[in-house]
């Protein structure tokens, strides 16, 4: 029977050291090869293009009902949507993306009457919610069952502790509690390996951090006397051995629930190693911001901060250490867009501005014009001149001086690095650039040769910068650093051969940065989430929400990781990373398109 041995000279810091390196570059990043988390997560995300809305809705519902657990209409205890949101994020910061995208929809669903009745009550006048008696009873019954399972598991450990250790009842209870704390600590450090071990009878070795986690838990406990520390560690080691290798049905069930909870959090990106990986990757990015992103950022000037998708994306990216770039070609396109909008308003909107209704405004083809009316209706600006003057002097809009003003504004506001066309031209084959430009013009993708040439130059320039800086030859698990950050699709139709010959795409979807880096929780927030979830009955309840098929697929990929040599894992991680960055068909909870939708639905 294998025994978990305590190595007192191994410090737990060596296993958590990676958490202190968030945002710092690394040449190889062996921690992403030695542990399966990143490999498995990327496999899951790349294959799971459409997401799992049923799971997301179920989790969001569970968190909403959890937040409302103490409400009661009989005692006049209610909560507003804002309070629900605040309470959930206070305990579970990783849930921000879910709440931002789904809280309104799920509140509407939960307050609607269905075959089960209403799961929560809505008081329209006061805009408050509470749980009806029926829902509170269901939750209470489930919690009693979950709590009973944990108590029974603890009682069995306490009995076993009395057989292994000569002490009193209080010490046996403490040893049982510390053993379960150690299990939770192992989930924090090597949750995927532990889940795989618990769920697969063919795996015969528990994660290697078990001994360090025992030391950490005992040393941090104020209830363990120093002179008994070694005896406690040895006893907990034996208790863990029983729990992992000779567990009772109840213990096995409890461990299985914890495994499902961990895998659920893992698929929702609440895993420190995943966050660290994307954060370190992002700090090495060189992203050429597309015209579409910058124009949308301009349109968000007077939008509520929580709805500023593109502005938040750009500012959070800069804060994360990414090098955001403005090419001369993109500057020309943004300036051209503002000029076209200026003339559209001057020639067609201004004469009838006072007669436009919301339907006409909503159908206007220029996003900046819709944004202007949105801001005017909200009282943020008084007229069109004031709105445009936020970006460039109204009298200079159509001149080269206006272009220079716009350049200075964008660079300062979003901390952009400017690239002249000449810098990219030195790295490309001009014949190939001209050929692509001609194609874009002939196919009607660009209005004139100047704009067509600008786009073609940027495409080839991305590959030129990668080649110059040897981005494919550094053995990095992060993939390429240089990308065009845009939702542009017209150009991609004509560059399939170019992408194939370079073995990688050149466009990164903004949603990738938005969801994996810009609005990701911190490692510390995720660790706090683990501390809140695992010891509670909510952890068991959340684990129930995970589809068994997803659970099994994730753990199967751990076996795939084990079968590969480190070099192959590193290459595969790099490949999957680039595929995820550029996947044009992946569904995300948060997108930069939501802002444009809001502007089309002015309330």
């Amino acid at each position: 029977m294998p025994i978990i041995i305590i190595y007192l000279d191994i410090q737990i810091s060596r296993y958590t050291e990676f958490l202190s390196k968030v945002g710092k570059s690394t040449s190889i990043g062996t921690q992403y090869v030695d542990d399966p988390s990143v490999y498995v997560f990327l496999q899951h995300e790349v294959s799971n293009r459409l997401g799992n809305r049923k799971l997301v809705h179920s989790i969001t519902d569970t968190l909403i009902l959890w937040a409302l657990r103490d409400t009661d209409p009989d005692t006049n205890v209610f909560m507003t949507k804002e309070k629900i949101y605040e309470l959930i994020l206070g305990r579970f910061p990783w849930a921000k993306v879910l709440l931002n995208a789904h809280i309104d929809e799920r509140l509407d669903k939960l307050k609607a009457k269905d075959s089960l009745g209403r799961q929560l009550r809505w008081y329209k006048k006061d805009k408050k919610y509470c749980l009806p008696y029926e829902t509170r009873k269901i939750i209470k019954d489930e919690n009693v069952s979950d709590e009973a399972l944990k108590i029974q598991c603890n009682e069995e450990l306490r009995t076993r502790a009395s057989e292994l250790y000569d002490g009193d009842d209080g010490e046996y209870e403490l040893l049982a509690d510390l053993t379960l704390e150690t299990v939770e600590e192992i989930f924090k450090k090597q949750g995927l390996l532990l889940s795989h071990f618990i769920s697969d009878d063919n795996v015969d070795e528990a994660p290697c951090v078990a001994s360090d986690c025992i030391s950490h838990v005992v040393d941090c406990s104020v209830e363990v006397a120093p002179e008994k520390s070694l005896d406690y560690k040895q006893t907990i080691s034996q208790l863990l051995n029983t729990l992992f290798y000779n567990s009772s049905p109840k213990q096995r069930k409890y461990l299985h629930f914890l495994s499902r909870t961990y895998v659920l959090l893992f698929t929702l990106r609440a895993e420190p190693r995943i966050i660290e990986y994307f954060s370190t990757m992002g700090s090495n990015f060189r992203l050429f911001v597309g015209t579409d992103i910058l124009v949308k950022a301009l349109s968000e000037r007077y939008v509520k901060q929580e709805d500023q998708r593109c502005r938040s994306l750009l500012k959070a990216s800069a804060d994360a250490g990414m090098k955001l770039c403005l090419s001369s070609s993109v500057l020309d396109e943004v300036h051209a867009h503002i000029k076209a909008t200026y003339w559209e308003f001057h020639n067609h909107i201004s004469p009838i501005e006072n007669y436009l209704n919301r339907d006409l405004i909503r159908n206007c083809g220029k996003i900046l014009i819709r944004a202007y009316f949105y801001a005017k209706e909200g009282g943020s600006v008084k007229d069109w001149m004031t709105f445009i003057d936020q970006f460039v002097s109204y009298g200079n809009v159509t001149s080269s001086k206006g272009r220079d003003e716009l350049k200075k504004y964008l660079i300062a506001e979003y901390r952009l690095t400017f690239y002249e066309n000449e810098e990219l031209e030195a790295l490309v084959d001009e014949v190939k650039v001209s050929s692509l430009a001609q194609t874009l013009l002939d196919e009607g993708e660009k209005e004139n040769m100047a704009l067509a040439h600008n786009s073609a130059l940027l495409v080839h320039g991305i590959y030129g910068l990668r080649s110059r800086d040897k981005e494919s030859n550094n053995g990095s698990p992060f993939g390429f650093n240089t990308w065009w950050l845009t939702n542009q699709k017209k150009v991609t139709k004509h560059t399939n051969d170019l992408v194939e010959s370079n073995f990688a795409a050149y466009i990164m979807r903004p949603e990738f940065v938005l969801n994996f880096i810009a609005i990701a929780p911190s490692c510390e927030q995720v660790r706090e989430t683990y501390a809140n979830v695992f010891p509670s009955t909510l952890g068991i309840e959340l684990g129930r929400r995970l589809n068994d098929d997803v659970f099994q697929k994730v753990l199967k990929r751990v076996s795939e990781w084990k079968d590969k040599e480190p070099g192959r894992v590193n290459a595969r991680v790099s490949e999957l990373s680039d595929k995820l960055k550029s996947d044009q068909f992946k569904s995300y909870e948060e997108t930069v398109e939501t802002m444009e939708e809001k502007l089309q639905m002015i309330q």
Side-chain angles (χ1 to χ4, degrees):
M1 188 73 65
I3 300 295
I4 300 174
I5 301 173
I6 302 175
Y7 296 97
L8 297 179
D9 59 332
I10 300 178
Q11 300 300 316
I12 195 170
S13 60
R14 93 181 209 196
Y15 291 102
T16 58
E17 183 182 3
F18 73 94
L19 295 176
S20 67
K21 298 179 181 179
V22 173
K24 298 179 182 179
S25 64
T26 177
S27 58
I28 299 298
T30 56
Q31 65 266 40
Y32 309 123
V33 174
D34 297 338
D35 182 273
S37 300
V38 171
Y39 174 86
V40 174
F41 181 81
L42 290 175
Q43 289 270 25
H44 173 75
E45 283 295 318
V46 168
S47 63
N48 190 36
R49 277 183 164 182
L50 299 180
N52 191 334
R53 293 184 69 83
K54 185 176 181 180
L55 172 63
V56 167
H57 288 170
S58 180
I59 296 302
T60 306
D61 291 353
T62 300
L63 293 174
I64 290 173
L65 295 177
W66 171 84
L68 291 166
R69 66 196 182 282
D70 294 327
T71 59
D72 185 349
D74 296 333
T75 57
N76 201 35
V77 179
F78 305 94
M79 292 182 71
T80 62
K81 181 186 79 171
E82 291 72 24
K83 185 63 178 178
I84 294 171
Y85 184 92
E86 178 185 339
L87 186 60
I88 293 174
L89 289 192
R91 291 286 295 276
F92 314 108
W94 55 268
K96 185 174 183 179
V97 174
L98 303 186
L99 295 183
N100 287 346
H102 299 288
I103 188 169
D104 290 326
E105 173 190 358
R106 300 318 299 169
L107 284 172
D108 288 342
K109 179 67 176 177
L110 291 171
K111 73 185 182 186
K113 190 173 184 179
D114 57 20
S115 59
L116 300 176
R118 290 185 175 87
Q119 290 183 265
L120 58 82
R121 291 182 182 175
W122 159 244
Y123 296 82
K124 186 175 181 180
K125 182 178 179 180
D126 298 323
K127 297 183 178 180
K128 293 181 178 180
Y129 298 87
C130 73
L131 296 183
Y133 170 77
E134 296 79 9
T135 305
R136 282 184 281 124
K137 185 176 185 306
I138 291 172
I139 293 174
K140 181 179 179 181
D141 290 344
E142 288 181 346
N143 286 345
V144 168
S145 175
D146 295 340
E147 189 63 33
L149 177 62
K150 183 175 181 180
I151 290 173
Q152 291 165 351
C153 182
N154 187 283
E155 176 64 23
E156 291 178 349
L157 286 172
R158 192 191 71 80
T159 300
R160 177 61 176 154
S162 68
E163 299 169 356
L164 298 170
Y165 183 80
D166 185 14
D168 55 40
D169 285 345
E171 287 187 286
Y172 303 148
E173 184 69 31
L174 177 58
L175 283 165
D177 289 340
L178 292 176
T179 301
L180 291 182
E181 282 185 41
T182 302
V183 173
E184 294 160 9
E185 192 69 19
I186 298 172
F187 270 111
K188 295 177 189 177
K189 302 299 184 291
Q190 286 188 329
L192 203 54
L193 286 173
L194 181 56
S195 298
H196 186 241
F197 167 76
I198 289 170
S199 304
D200 192 334
D201 293 335
N202 295 320
V203 180
D204 56 8
E205 291 186 9
C208 62
V209 298
S211 57
D212 298 281
C213 290
I214 294 172
S215 296
H216 174 75
V217 169
V218 173
D219 292 343
C220 290
S221 175
V222 296
E223 299 181 69
V224 179
E227 64 273 14
K228 292 187 175 183
S229 175
L230 182 59
D231 290 338
Y232 267 55
K233 291 175 182 177
Q234 291 174 337
T235 303
I236 293 172
S237 176
Q238 292 174 294
L239 288 172
L240 277 182
N241 188 74
T242 299
L243 190 62
F244 286 160
Y245 296 103
N246 193 29
S247 57
S248 70
K250 287 186 174 60
Q251 291 172 340
R252 204 72 183 172
K253 184 177 181 180
Y254 181 68
L255 290 175
H256 186 67
F257 271 130
L258 292 184
S259 297
R260 296 181 70 85
T261 299
Y262 170 81
V263 172
L264 170 68
L265 294 174
F266 176 84
T267 61
L268 295 173
R269 307 166 203 160
E271 217 295 337
R273 290 180 188 273
I274 303 302
I275 293 170
E276 194 267 350
Y277 171 78
F278 284 110
S279 179
T280 304
M281 173 199 294
S283 67
N284 293 306
F285 277 156
R286 174 172 50 194
L287 306 179
F288 284 81
V289 184
T291 302
D292 55 331
I293 305 301
L294 291 174
V295 169
K296 286 188 176 72
L298 297 180
S299 73
E300 294 173 355
R301 171 64 177 85
Y302 291 106
V303 174
K304 290 186 298 184
Q305 186 171 357
E306 59 266 30
D307 291 329
Q308 293 179 1
R309 295 295 184 266
C310 290
R311 292 172 72 91
S312 297
L313 167 68
L314 294 173
K315 293 185 177 183
S317 298
D319 289 341
M322 300 180 201
K323 182 178 180 180
L324 300 180
C325 306
L326 173 65
S327 70
S328 180
S329 57
V330 168
L331 174 61
D332 287 338
E333 290 194 354
V334 176
H335 186 224
H337 183 92
I338 292 178
K339 286 193 294 183
T341 302
Y342 167 87
W343 287 117
E344 173 82 11
F345 191 93
H346 180 77
N347 294 329
H348 302 291
I349 304 297
S350 181
I352 59 172
E353 179 177 355
N354 295 330
Y355 304 98
L356 293 177
N357 58 36
R358 291 183 178 181
D359 287 336
L360 292 173
I361 294 170
R362 190 178 298 127
N363 291 317
C364 176
K366 298 294 185 182
I367 188 174
L368 289 180
I369 292 178
R370 297 198 302 274
Y372 159 65
F373 280 107
Y374 181 94
K376 184 179 179 182
E377 189 173 87
S380 299
V381 295
K382 62 179 181 179
D383 54 37
W384 176 245
M385 181 183 296
T386 305
F387 180 78
I388 290 297
D389 197 63
Q390 295 300 308
F391 319 118
V392 55
S393 299
Y394 193 76
N396 296 332
V397 169
T398 61
S399 69
S400 58
K401 186 175 182 180
R403 177 187 183 277
D404 189 59
E405 285 185 16
L406 179 64
K407 169 186 170 182
K408 292 176 180 177
Y409 164 76
L410 293 173
I411 290 174
E413 186 66 22
Y414 301 113
R415 289 175 278 174
L416 307 178
T417 299
F418 190 69
Y419 276 73
E420 293 285 1
N421 280 352
E422 290 77 10
E423 295 179 69
L424 299 181
E425 288 170 351
L427 303 172
V428 302
D429 184 332
E430 186 56 40
V431 174
K432 293 181 180 179
V433 172
S434 297
S435 176
L436 177 56
Q438 189 63 54
T439 299
L440 296 177
L441 184 64
D442 293 343
E443 295 295 327
E445 308 294 5
K446 295 295 177 180
E447 298 175 8
N448 56 61
M449 178 53 78
L451 293 178
H453 182 271
N454 282 343
S455 293
L457 176 61
L458 185 53
V459 170
H460 283 275
I462 297 293
Y463 290 117
L465 287 167
R466 288 177 180 176
S467 177
R468 185 195 68 183
D469 297 336
K470 297 179 172 55
E471 292 183 15
S472 64
N473 301 324
N474 57 14
S476 168
F478 303 114
F480 290 109
N481 298 329
T482 306
W483 296 82
W484 183 2
L485 187 69
T486 179
N487 272 320
Q488 166 72 258
K489 292 183 175 64
K490 293 181 179 180
V491 175
T492 59
K493 295 186 296 183
H494 311 287
T495 56
N496 290 332
D497 291 344
L498 182 62
V499 170
E500 186 175 343
S501 64
N502 284 277
F503 307 107
Y506 55 90
I507 284 180
M508 178 189 292
R509 284 184 64 189
E511 284 79 11
F512 171 83
V513 176
L514 184 66
N515 284 269
F516 287 109
I517 301 175
I519 58 175
S522 67
C523 290
E524 183 58 38
Q525 288 174 324
V526 169
R527 288 197 296 271
E528 290 175 4
T529 292
Y530 282 21
N532 291 328
V533 169
F534 278 110
S536 69
T537 56
L538 177 63
I540 297 177
E541 184 177 358
L542 287 173
R544 287 200 185 98
R545 306 297 180 182
L546 183 67
N547 182 280
D548 190 62
D549 183 55
V550 174
F551 180 70
Q552 295 300 334
K553 282 183 178 179
V554 168
L555 296 186
K556 181 180 178 182
R557 289 184 173 117
V558 178
S559 297
E560 293 176 8
W561 166 81
K562 283 188 171 183
D563 289 339
K564 289 179 169 55
E565 291 184 306
R568 178 56 181 151
V569 172
N570 188 83
R572 186 66 178 140
V573 165
S574 178
E575 177 187 343
L576 290 167
S577 172
D578 285 337
K579 188 171 183 179
L580 184 60
K581 295 168 194 170
S582 59
D583 193 336
Q584 297 296 313
F585 301 101
K586 185 170 176 59
S587 174
Y588 289 99
E589 300 300 330
E590 288 281 8
T591 74
V592 297
E593 300 300 329
T594 55
M595 189 58 249
E596 189 164 2
E597 293 171 6
K598 286 183 173 64
L599 293 173
Q600 291 174 334
M601 300 292 290
I602 295 176
Q603 297 292 325

